[in-house]
Short mmCIF file of all heavy atoms in Angstrom, two decimals:
data_model
loop_
_atom_site.label_atom_id
_atom_site.label_comp_id
_atom_site.label_asym_id
_atom_site.label_seq_id
_atom_site.Cartn_x
_atom_site.Cartn_y
_atom_site.Cartn_z
N ILE G 7 85.04 38.44 74.02
CA ILE G 7 84.75 39.19 72.78
C ILE G 7 83.26 39.41 72.64
O ILE G 7 82.80 40.53 72.33
CB ILE G 7 85.33 38.45 71.55
CG1 ILE G 7 86.85 38.46 71.59
CG2 ILE G 7 84.81 39.05 70.26
CD1 ILE G 7 87.48 37.46 70.65
N LYS G 8 82.49 38.38 72.88
CA LYS G 8 81.04 38.49 72.77
C LYS G 8 80.50 39.54 73.74
O LYS G 8 79.70 40.41 73.36
CB LYS G 8 80.38 37.14 73.02
CG LYS G 8 78.88 37.16 72.94
CD LYS G 8 78.29 35.79 73.22
CE LYS G 8 76.76 35.87 73.23
NZ LYS G 8 76.16 34.58 73.56
N MET G 9 80.95 39.48 75.00
CA MET G 9 80.48 40.43 75.99
C MET G 9 80.94 41.85 75.66
O MET G 9 80.15 42.80 75.78
CB MET G 9 80.96 40.03 77.38
CG MET G 9 80.30 38.78 77.90
SD MET G 9 80.69 38.40 79.63
CE MET G 9 82.45 38.16 79.57
N ALA G 10 82.19 42.01 75.24
CA ALA G 10 82.70 43.33 74.89
C ALA G 10 81.91 43.92 73.72
O ALA G 10 81.58 45.11 73.71
CB ALA G 10 84.19 43.26 74.58
N ASN G 11 81.61 43.09 72.74
CA ASN G 11 80.84 43.57 71.59
C ASN G 11 79.40 43.93 71.96
O ASN G 11 78.83 44.86 71.40
CB ASN G 11 80.87 42.54 70.46
CG ASN G 11 82.19 42.54 69.72
OD1 ASN G 11 82.93 43.52 69.72
ND2 ASN G 11 82.49 41.43 69.07
N GLN G 12 78.81 43.22 72.91
CA GLN G 12 77.49 43.59 73.40
C GLN G 12 77.52 44.96 74.06
O GLN G 12 76.62 45.79 73.84
CB GLN G 12 76.95 42.54 74.36
CG GLN G 12 76.57 41.24 73.70
CD GLN G 12 76.22 40.15 74.70
OE1 GLN G 12 76.67 40.13 75.83
NE2 GLN G 12 75.39 39.21 74.24
N ILE G 13 78.54 45.21 74.85
CA ILE G 13 78.70 46.53 75.46
C ILE G 13 78.88 47.58 74.37
O ILE G 13 78.27 48.64 74.41
CB ILE G 13 79.89 46.52 76.44
CG1 ILE G 13 79.62 45.58 77.61
CG2 ILE G 13 80.20 47.94 76.95
CD1 ILE G 13 80.85 45.22 78.43
N GLY G 14 79.73 47.28 73.41
CA GLY G 14 79.96 48.21 72.29
C GLY G 14 78.70 48.51 71.52
O GLY G 14 78.45 49.67 71.14
N SER G 15 77.87 47.51 71.29
CA SER G 15 76.61 47.71 70.56
C SER G 15 75.70 48.68 71.29
O SER G 15 75.03 49.51 70.68
CB SER G 15 75.88 46.38 70.37
OG SER G 15 76.57 45.54 69.50
N PHE G 16 75.68 48.59 72.61
CA PHE G 16 74.84 49.47 73.40
C PHE G 16 75.31 50.92 73.30
O PHE G 16 74.54 51.83 73.04
CB PHE G 16 74.82 49.03 74.86
CG PHE G 16 74.01 49.93 75.74
CD1 PHE G 16 72.63 49.81 75.80
CD2 PHE G 16 74.62 50.91 76.50
CE1 PHE G 16 71.88 50.66 76.60
CE2 PHE G 16 73.89 51.76 77.30
CZ PHE G 16 72.51 51.63 77.36
N PHE G 17 76.61 51.12 73.48
CA PHE G 17 77.15 52.49 73.53
C PHE G 17 77.41 53.09 72.15
O PHE G 17 77.54 54.30 72.02
CB PHE G 17 78.43 52.54 74.36
CG PHE G 17 78.17 52.38 75.83
CD1 PHE G 17 78.47 51.20 76.48
CD2 PHE G 17 77.62 53.41 76.56
CE1 PHE G 17 78.24 51.05 77.83
CE2 PHE G 17 77.38 53.27 77.92
CZ PHE G 17 77.70 52.08 78.57
N GLU G 18 77.45 52.26 71.11
CA GLU G 18 77.75 52.75 69.76
C GLU G 18 76.70 53.74 69.26
O GLU G 18 76.99 54.58 68.42
CB GLU G 18 77.86 51.58 68.79
CG GLU G 18 78.33 51.97 67.41
CD GLU G 18 78.55 50.75 66.54
OE1 GLU G 18 77.73 49.82 66.58
OE2 GLU G 18 79.55 50.77 65.80
N THR G 19 75.49 53.67 69.78
CA THR G 19 74.41 54.55 69.31
C THR G 19 74.52 55.96 69.88
O THR G 19 73.80 56.86 69.41
CB THR G 19 73.04 53.96 69.70
OG1 THR G 19 72.96 53.85 71.13
CG2 THR G 19 72.84 52.60 69.07
N MET G 20 75.43 56.17 70.81
CA MET G 20 75.59 57.51 71.38
C MET G 20 76.16 58.47 70.32
O MET G 20 77.05 58.08 69.57
CB MET G 20 76.53 57.47 72.59
CG MET G 20 75.97 56.73 73.78
SD MET G 20 77.13 56.66 75.17
CE MET G 20 77.21 58.38 75.63
N PRO G 21 75.65 59.67 70.26
CA PRO G 21 76.14 60.61 69.24
C PRO G 21 77.58 61.09 69.47
O PRO G 21 78.30 61.39 68.52
CB PRO G 21 75.16 61.79 69.33
CG PRO G 21 74.50 61.66 70.65
CD PRO G 21 74.56 60.22 71.04
N ASP G 22 78.02 61.13 70.71
CA ASP G 22 79.38 61.57 71.04
C ASP G 22 80.27 60.33 71.18
O ASP G 22 80.23 59.64 72.20
CB ASP G 22 79.34 62.37 72.35
CG ASP G 22 80.70 62.94 72.73
OD1 ASP G 22 81.74 62.46 72.21
OD2 ASP G 22 80.71 63.85 73.58
N ARG G 23 81.08 60.06 70.16
CA ARG G 23 81.88 58.83 70.14
C ARG G 23 82.90 58.80 71.27
O ARG G 23 83.13 57.74 71.86
CB ARG G 23 82.56 58.69 68.79
CG ARG G 23 83.21 57.31 68.61
CD ARG G 23 83.46 57.04 67.13
NE ARG G 23 84.01 55.74 66.90
CZ ARG G 23 83.31 54.64 66.63
NH1 ARG G 23 82.00 54.72 66.57
NH2 ARG G 23 83.91 53.49 66.38
N GLU G 24 83.51 59.92 71.58
CA GLU G 24 84.50 59.96 72.67
C GLU G 24 83.82 59.62 74.00
O GLU G 24 84.39 58.90 74.81
CB GLU G 24 85.20 61.32 72.74
CG GLU G 24 86.23 61.42 73.83
CD GLU G 24 87.35 60.37 73.74
OE1 GLU G 24 87.79 60.04 72.63
OE2 GLU G 24 87.77 59.86 74.81
N GLN G 25 82.63 60.15 74.22
CA GLN G 25 81.89 59.83 75.45
C GLN G 25 81.51 58.35 75.47
O GLN G 25 81.59 57.70 76.50
CB GLN G 25 80.65 60.70 75.58
CG GLN G 25 79.88 60.46 76.87
CD GLN G 25 80.69 60.81 78.10
OE1 GLN G 25 81.28 61.88 78.19
NE2 GLN G 25 80.77 59.90 79.06
N ALA G 26 81.14 57.83 74.31
CA ALA G 26 80.79 56.40 74.21
C ALA G 26 81.99 55.54 74.57
O ALA G 26 81.87 54.57 75.33
CB ALA G 26 80.30 56.07 72.81
N GLN G 27 83.16 55.90 74.07
CA GLN G 27 84.36 55.14 74.39
C GLN G 27 84.69 55.24 75.88
O GLN G 27 85.08 54.24 76.50
CB GLN G 27 85.53 55.61 73.55
CG GLN G 27 85.39 55.23 72.09
CD GLN G 27 86.54 55.74 71.24
OE1 GLN G 27 87.27 56.64 71.63
NE2 GLN G 27 86.70 55.15 70.08
N SER G 28 84.56 56.40 76.44
CA SER G 28 84.80 56.58 77.86
C SER G 28 83.83 55.72 78.69
O SER G 28 84.22 55.08 79.67
CB SER G 28 84.64 58.05 78.23
OG SER G 28 84.82 58.24 79.61
N ASP G 29 82.57 55.67 78.25
CA ASP G 29 81.57 54.87 78.96
C ASP G 29 81.84 53.38 78.82
O ASP G 29 81.61 52.62 79.76
CB ASP G 29 80.17 55.21 78.45
CG ASP G 29 79.71 56.60 78.87
OD1 ASP G 29 80.37 57.22 79.73
OD2 ASP G 29 78.70 57.08 78.31
N ILE G 30 82.31 52.94 77.66
CA ILE G 30 82.67 51.53 77.46
C ILE G 30 83.79 51.17 78.42
O ILE G 30 83.74 50.15 79.11
CB ILE G 30 83.05 51.25 76.00
CG1 ILE G 30 81.84 51.36 75.09
CG2 ILE G 30 83.71 49.88 75.86
CD1 ILE G 30 82.17 51.36 73.60
N ALA G 31 84.84 51.99 78.45
CA ALA G 31 85.97 51.73 79.34
C ALA G 31 85.52 51.69 80.79
O ALA G 31 85.93 50.80 81.56
CB ALA G 31 87.06 52.79 79.13
N SER G 32 84.68 52.62 81.19
CA SER G 32 84.19 52.66 82.57
C SER G 32 83.37 51.42 82.91
O SER G 32 83.50 50.87 84.00
CB SER G 32 83.33 53.91 82.80
OG SER G 32 84.12 55.06 82.71
N HIS G 33 82.53 51.01 81.98
CA HIS G 33 81.70 49.84 82.19
C HIS G 33 82.57 48.60 82.40
O HIS G 33 82.36 47.83 83.35
CB HIS G 33 80.75 49.63 81.01
CG HIS G 33 79.83 48.47 81.19
ND1 HIS G 33 78.60 48.59 81.76
CD2 HIS G 33 79.99 47.16 80.89
CE1 HIS G 33 78.02 47.39 81.81
NE2 HIS G 33 78.86 46.51 81.28
N ILE G 34 83.54 48.42 81.53
CA ILE G 34 84.42 47.26 81.64
C ILE G 34 85.19 47.31 82.97
O ILE G 34 85.32 46.30 83.66
CB ILE G 34 85.35 47.15 80.42
CG1 ILE G 34 84.54 46.79 79.17
CG2 ILE G 34 86.46 46.14 80.65
CD1 ILE G 34 85.30 46.84 77.87
N LYS G 35 85.68 48.45 83.32
CA LYS G 35 86.44 48.61 84.57
C LYS G 35 85.56 48.27 85.79
O LYS G 35 86.00 47.60 86.73
CB LYS G 35 86.97 50.04 84.67
CG LYS G 35 87.67 50.37 85.96
CD LYS G 35 89.03 49.72 86.04
CE LYS G 35 89.75 50.20 87.29
NZ LYS G 35 91.09 49.70 87.36
N ARG G 36 84.34 48.75 85.79
CA ARG G 36 83.45 48.57 86.95
C ARG G 36 82.91 47.15 87.08
O ARG G 36 82.77 46.65 88.20
CB ARG G 36 82.27 49.53 86.88
CG ARG G 36 82.58 50.91 87.36
CD ARG G 36 81.36 51.76 87.35
NE ARG G 36 81.04 51.96 85.92
CZ ARG G 36 79.97 52.52 85.45
NH1 ARG G 36 79.06 52.96 86.26
NH2 ARG G 36 79.79 52.66 84.16
N PHE G 37 82.57 46.52 85.96
CA PHE G 37 81.82 45.28 86.03
C PHE G 37 82.60 44.01 85.68
O PHE G 37 82.11 42.91 85.86
CB PHE G 37 80.57 45.36 85.16
CG PHE G 37 79.62 46.42 85.62
CD1 PHE G 37 79.48 47.60 84.92
CD2 PHE G 37 78.88 46.26 86.79
CE1 PHE G 37 78.60 48.59 85.34
CE2 PHE G 37 78.01 47.23 87.22
CZ PHE G 37 77.87 48.40 86.50
N TRP G 38 83.80 44.16 85.15
CA TRP G 38 84.62 42.99 84.82
C TRP G 38 85.71 42.85 85.87
O TRP G 38 86.34 43.83 86.27
CB TRP G 38 85.26 43.15 83.46
CG TRP G 38 84.34 43.02 82.28
CD1 TRP G 38 83.01 43.30 82.24
CD2 TRP G 38 84.69 42.59 80.98
NE1 TRP G 38 82.53 43.08 80.98
CE2 TRP G 38 83.54 42.63 80.18
CE3 TRP G 38 85.90 42.18 80.39
CZ2 TRP G 38 83.53 42.28 78.84
CZ3 TRP G 38 85.89 41.83 79.06
CH2 TRP G 38 84.72 41.87 78.29
N GLU G 39 85.96 41.63 86.27
CA GLU G 39 87.05 41.40 87.22
C GLU G 39 88.39 41.61 86.51
O GLU G 39 88.47 41.52 85.28
CB GLU G 39 86.96 39.99 87.82
CG GLU G 39 87.17 38.88 86.82
CD GLU G 39 87.12 37.51 87.48
OE1 GLU G 39 86.19 37.25 88.25
OE2 GLU G 39 88.03 36.72 87.20
N PRO G 40 89.44 41.91 87.27
CA PRO G 40 90.75 42.21 86.66
C PRO G 40 91.25 41.14 85.70
O PRO G 40 91.83 41.45 84.65
CB PRO G 40 91.68 42.35 87.85
CG PRO G 40 90.77 42.79 88.97
CD PRO G 40 89.47 42.09 88.72
N ARG G 41 91.04 39.88 86.03
CA ARG G 41 91.49 38.79 85.17
C ARG G 41 90.83 38.84 83.80
O ARG G 41 91.47 38.60 82.78
CB ARG G 41 91.18 37.46 85.87
CG ARG G 41 91.64 36.23 85.16
CD ARG G 41 91.38 35.01 86.00
NE ARG G 41 89.98 34.94 86.41
CZ ARG G 41 89.20 33.88 86.22
NH1 ARG G 41 89.68 32.79 85.67
NH2 ARG G 41 87.95 33.89 86.61
N MET G 42 89.56 39.20 83.76
CA MET G 42 88.84 39.32 82.49
C MET G 42 89.39 40.48 81.67
O MET G 42 89.60 40.36 80.47
CB MET G 42 87.34 39.52 82.74
CG MET G 42 86.65 38.34 83.38
SD MET G 42 84.99 38.76 83.99
CE MET G 42 84.14 39.03 82.44
N ARG G 43 89.64 41.60 82.33
CA ARG G 43 90.16 42.79 81.64
C ARG G 43 91.55 42.51 81.07
O ARG G 43 91.82 42.84 79.92
CB ARG G 43 90.19 43.99 82.58
CG ARG G 43 88.81 44.38 83.08
CD ARG G 43 88.79 45.71 83.81
NE ARG G 43 89.78 45.85 84.86
CZ ARG G 43 89.51 45.74 86.15
NH1 ARG G 43 88.28 45.46 86.56
NH2 ARG G 43 90.47 45.92 87.05
N ARG G 44 92.39 41.88 81.86
CA ARG G 44 93.73 41.54 81.38
C ARG G 44 93.68 40.57 80.20
O ARG G 44 94.43 40.72 79.24
CB ARG G 44 94.58 40.95 82.51
CG ARG G 44 95.06 41.96 83.51
CD ARG G 44 96.11 41.39 84.45
NE ARG G 44 95.66 40.19 85.13
CZ ARG G 44 95.06 40.17 86.33
NH1 ARG G 44 94.84 41.30 86.97
NH2 ARG G 44 94.69 39.03 86.87
N SER G 45 92.80 39.60 80.27
CA SER G 45 92.68 38.61 79.19
C SER G 45 92.22 39.29 77.90
O SER G 45 92.71 38.96 76.81
CB SER G 45 91.69 37.51 79.57
OG SER G 45 92.21 36.72 80.59
N LEU G 46 91.28 40.22 78.00
CA LEU G 46 90.80 40.92 76.80
C LEU G 46 91.90 41.77 76.20
O LEU G 46 92.11 41.76 74.98
CB LEU G 46 89.58 41.77 77.14
CG LEU G 46 88.93 42.49 75.95
CD1 LEU G 46 88.45 41.49 74.89
CD2 LEU G 46 87.79 43.38 76.41
N LEU G 47 92.65 42.48 77.03
CA LEU G 47 93.75 43.30 76.51
C LEU G 47 94.86 42.44 75.94
O LEU G 47 95.47 42.81 74.92
CB LEU G 47 94.28 44.22 77.62
CG LEU G 47 93.33 45.32 78.06
CD1 LEU G 47 93.84 46.02 79.30
CD2 LEU G 47 93.07 46.31 76.92
N GLN G 48 95.10 41.30 76.53
CA GLN G 48 96.09 40.37 75.99
C GLN G 48 95.64 39.87 74.62
O GLN G 48 96.44 39.76 73.70
CB GLN G 48 96.27 39.19 76.94
CG GLN G 48 97.29 38.18 76.47
CD GLN G 48 97.45 37.04 77.46
OE1 GLN G 48 96.62 36.85 78.37
NE2 GLN G 48 98.49 36.26 77.30
N TYR G 49 94.35 39.60 74.47
CA TYR G 49 93.81 39.18 73.18
C TYR G 49 94.03 40.27 72.13
O TYR G 49 94.45 39.99 71.01
CB TYR G 49 92.32 38.84 73.31
CG TYR G 49 91.67 38.60 71.99
CD1 TYR G 49 91.75 37.37 71.37
CD2 TYR G 49 90.97 39.62 71.32
CE1 TYR G 49 91.18 37.13 70.13
CE2 TYR G 49 90.40 39.40 70.10
CZ TYR G 49 90.51 38.16 69.51
OH TYR G 49 89.95 37.95 68.28
N VAL G 50 93.78 41.51 72.50
CA VAL G 50 93.98 42.63 71.57
C VAL G 50 95.45 42.70 71.16
O VAL G 50 95.77 42.86 69.98
CB VAL G 50 93.53 43.96 72.22
CG1 VAL G 50 93.99 45.14 71.39
CG2 VAL G 50 92.02 43.97 72.37
N ASP G 51 96.34 42.54 72.11
CA ASP G 51 97.78 42.61 71.82
C ASP G 51 98.23 41.47 70.92
O ASP G 51 99.04 41.67 70.02
CB ASP G 51 98.59 42.57 73.12
CG ASP G 51 98.40 43.82 73.97
OD1 ASP G 51 97.93 44.85 73.44
OD2 ASP G 51 98.72 43.74 75.18
N GLN G 52 97.70 40.30 71.16
CA GLN G 52 98.18 39.12 70.41
C GLN G 52 97.50 38.93 69.06
O GLN G 52 98.07 38.33 68.17
CB GLN G 52 97.99 37.86 71.26
CG GLN G 52 98.88 37.83 72.47
CD GLN G 52 98.63 36.62 73.35
OE1 GLN G 52 97.65 35.90 73.19
NE2 GLN G 52 99.50 36.41 74.30
N HIS G 53 96.25 39.41 68.93
CA HIS G 53 95.47 39.13 67.73
C HIS G 53 94.97 40.39 67.04
O HIS G 53 94.08 40.30 66.19
CB HIS G 53 94.29 38.21 68.06
CG HIS G 53 94.71 36.93 68.69
ND1 HIS G 53 95.23 35.88 67.97
CD2 HIS G 53 94.71 36.53 69.99
CE1 HIS G 53 95.51 34.87 68.79
NE2 HIS G 53 95.21 35.25 70.02
N ASP G 54 95.49 41.54 67.42
CA ASP G 54 95.09 42.83 66.85
C ASP G 54 93.60 43.10 66.96
O ASP G 54 93.04 43.84 66.15
CB ASP G 54 95.53 42.92 65.38
CG ASP G 54 97.04 43.01 65.24
OD1 ASP G 54 97.68 43.59 66.13
OD2 ASP G 54 97.56 42.48 64.25
N GLY G 55 92.94 42.48 67.93
CA GLY G 55 91.53 42.76 68.16
C GLY G 55 90.59 42.22 67.12
O GLY G 55 89.45 42.69 67.01
N VAL G 56 91.02 41.21 66.36
CA VAL G 56 90.14 40.59 65.38
C VAL G 56 88.85 40.16 66.08
O VAL G 56 88.87 39.67 67.19
CB VAL G 56 90.83 39.37 64.72
CG1 VAL G 56 89.89 38.62 63.81
CG2 VAL G 56 92.07 39.80 63.98
N ASP G 57 87.74 40.37 65.45
CA ASP G 57 86.40 40.01 65.92
C ASP G 57 85.79 41.02 66.90
O ASP G 57 84.64 40.88 67.29
CB ASP G 57 86.35 38.62 66.55
CG ASP G 57 86.71 37.52 65.56
OD1 ASP G 57 86.31 37.64 64.37
OD2 ASP G 57 87.36 36.55 65.96
N LEU G 58 86.55 42.02 67.31
CA LEU G 58 85.97 43.07 68.14
C LEU G 58 85.40 44.17 67.25
O LEU G 58 85.95 44.48 66.21
CB LEU G 58 87.04 43.68 69.06
CG LEU G 58 87.47 42.82 70.23
CD1 LEU G 58 88.70 43.44 70.90
CD2 LEU G 58 86.35 42.63 71.24
N MET G 59 84.28 44.73 67.69
CA MET G 59 83.71 45.87 66.98
C MET G 59 84.73 47.01 66.97
O MET G 59 85.54 47.13 67.90
CB MET G 59 82.44 46.36 67.70
CG MET G 59 81.30 45.39 67.69
SD MET G 59 79.89 46.06 68.63
CE MET G 59 79.48 47.50 67.65
N ASP G 60 84.66 47.84 65.95
CA ASP G 60 85.60 48.96 65.84
C ASP G 60 85.60 49.85 67.08
O ASP G 60 86.66 50.22 67.59
CB ASP G 60 85.29 49.81 64.62
CG ASP G 60 85.65 49.14 63.31
OD1 ASP G 60 86.47 48.19 63.34
OD2 ASP G 60 85.10 49.54 62.27
N ILE G 61 84.41 50.16 67.59
CA ILE G 61 84.35 51.06 68.75
C ILE G 61 84.97 50.42 69.98
O ILE G 61 85.61 51.10 70.79
CB ILE G 61 82.90 51.53 69.03
CG1 ILE G 61 82.92 52.69 70.02
CG2 ILE G 61 82.01 50.39 69.48
CD1 ILE G 61 81.62 53.44 70.13
N VAL G 62 84.84 49.12 70.12
CA VAL G 62 85.44 48.42 71.26
C VAL G 62 86.95 48.41 71.12
O VAL G 62 87.67 48.71 72.07
CB VAL G 62 84.87 46.99 71.39
CG1 VAL G 62 85.58 46.23 72.50
CG2 VAL G 62 83.37 47.02 71.64
N LEU G 63 87.43 48.08 69.95
CA LEU G 63 88.87 48.02 69.71
C LEU G 63 89.49 49.40 69.91
O LEU G 63 90.53 49.54 70.57
CB LEU G 63 89.16 47.49 68.32
CG LEU G 63 90.64 47.31 67.96
CD1 LEU G 63 91.34 46.41 68.97
CD2 LEU G 63 90.75 46.76 66.55
N GLU G 64 88.86 50.43 69.36
CA GLU G 64 89.36 51.79 69.53
C GLU G 64 89.40 52.16 71.02
O GLU G 64 90.35 52.80 71.49
CB GLU G 64 88.48 52.78 68.78
CG GLU G 64 88.55 52.68 67.28
CD GLU G 64 87.47 53.49 66.58
OE1 GLU G 64 86.80 54.32 67.24
OE2 GLU G 64 87.27 53.28 65.37
N THR G 65 88.38 51.77 71.73
CA THR G 65 88.30 52.06 73.16
C THR G 65 89.44 51.39 73.92
O THR G 65 90.12 52.02 74.74
CB THR G 65 86.96 51.59 73.75
OG1 THR G 65 85.90 52.31 73.13
CG2 THR G 65 86.90 51.80 75.26
N LEU G 66 89.66 50.12 73.63
CA LEU G 66 90.70 49.39 74.35
C LEU G 66 92.08 49.93 74.04
O LEU G 66 92.97 49.91 74.89
CB LEU G 66 90.61 47.90 74.02
CG LEU G 66 89.33 47.21 74.51
CD1 LEU G 66 89.26 45.80 74.00
CD2 LEU G 66 89.24 47.25 76.04
N ARG G 67 92.26 50.44 72.86
CA ARG G 67 93.56 51.02 72.50
C ARG G 67 93.74 52.41 73.09
O ARG G 67 94.82 52.75 73.57
CB ARG G 67 93.72 51.04 70.98
CG ARG G 67 93.94 49.66 70.41
CD ARG G 67 94.14 49.69 68.92
NE ARG G 67 94.51 48.35 68.42
CZ ARG G 67 94.33 47.97 67.19
NH1 ARG G 67 93.80 48.78 66.30
NH2 ARG G 67 94.68 46.74 66.82
N SER G 68 92.71 53.24 73.02
CA SER G 68 92.86 54.62 73.45
C SER G 68 92.59 54.84 74.95
O SER G 68 93.00 55.85 75.51
CB SER G 68 91.96 55.54 72.63
OG SER G 68 90.58 55.22 72.84
N HIS G 69 91.90 53.92 75.58
CA HIS G 69 91.57 54.05 77.00
C HIS G 69 92.12 52.88 77.82
O HIS G 69 91.56 52.49 78.82
CB HIS G 69 90.05 54.11 77.19
CG HIS G 69 89.41 55.34 76.62
ND1 HIS G 69 89.22 55.52 75.27
CD2 HIS G 69 88.94 56.45 77.22
CE1 HIS G 69 88.64 56.69 75.07
NE2 HIS G 69 88.47 57.27 76.24
N ARG G 70 93.22 52.32 77.36
CA ARG G 70 93.80 51.14 77.99
C ARG G 70 94.02 51.32 79.48
O ARG G 70 93.67 50.48 80.30
CB ARG G 70 95.11 50.77 77.28
CG ARG G 70 95.70 49.48 77.77
CD ARG G 70 96.99 49.16 77.03
NE ARG G 70 97.44 47.83 77.36
CZ ARG G 70 97.30 46.77 76.59
NH1 ARG G 70 96.75 46.89 75.39
NH2 ARG G 70 97.73 45.58 76.97
N ALA G 71 94.60 52.43 79.87
CA ALA G 71 94.89 52.68 81.28
C ALA G 71 93.60 52.74 82.11
O ALA G 71 93.58 52.30 83.25
CB ALA G 71 95.68 53.97 81.44
N ALA G 72 92.54 53.27 81.53
CA ALA G 72 91.27 53.36 82.24
C ALA G 72 90.62 52.00 82.43
O ALA G 72 89.86 51.80 83.38
CB ALA G 72 90.32 54.29 81.48
N VAL G 73 90.92 51.06 81.53
CA VAL G 73 90.35 49.72 81.61
C VAL G 73 91.08 48.89 82.68
O VAL G 73 90.47 48.08 83.36
CB VAL G 73 90.38 49.02 80.25
CG1 VAL G 73 90.01 47.56 80.34
CG2 VAL G 73 89.49 49.73 79.25
N LEU G 74 92.38 49.10 82.79
CA LEU G 74 93.14 48.34 83.78
C LEU G 74 92.79 48.80 85.16
O LEU G 74 92.72 48.19 86.10
CB LEU G 74 94.65 48.50 83.54
CG LEU G 74 95.17 47.79 82.30
CD1 LEU G 74 96.63 48.13 82.07
CD2 LEU G 74 95.01 46.27 82.44
#
Side-chain angles (χ1 to χ4, degrees):
I7 292 165
K8 180 180 176 183
M9 291 188 298
N11 283 338
Q12 289 173 332
I13 295 165
S15 291
F16 178 81
F17 288 106
E18 187 174 41
T19 61
M20 293 178 67
D22 183 342
R23 191 161 183 92
E24 181 58 38
Q25 183 63 50
Q27 290 178 341
S28 178
D29 290 348
I30 290 169
S32 293
H33 182 91
I34 291 172
K35 175 73 174 185
R36 279 183 291 173
F37 297 107
W38 287 29
E39 65 178 48
R41 183 175 54 127
M42 294 168 68
R43 298 190 309 258
R44 285 192 305 268
S45 292
L46 183 61
L47 291 171
Q48 181 180 14
Y49 172 82
V50 169
D51 293 342
Q52 293 177 348
H53 303 282
D54 292 327
V56 174
D57 297 323
L58 286 170
M59 295 177 63
D60 288 340
I61 193 167
V62 175
L63 183 56
E64 291 169 13
T65 298
L66 295 173
R67 287 182 174 157
S68 63
H69 293 76
R70 186 179 188 103
V73 171
L74 289 174

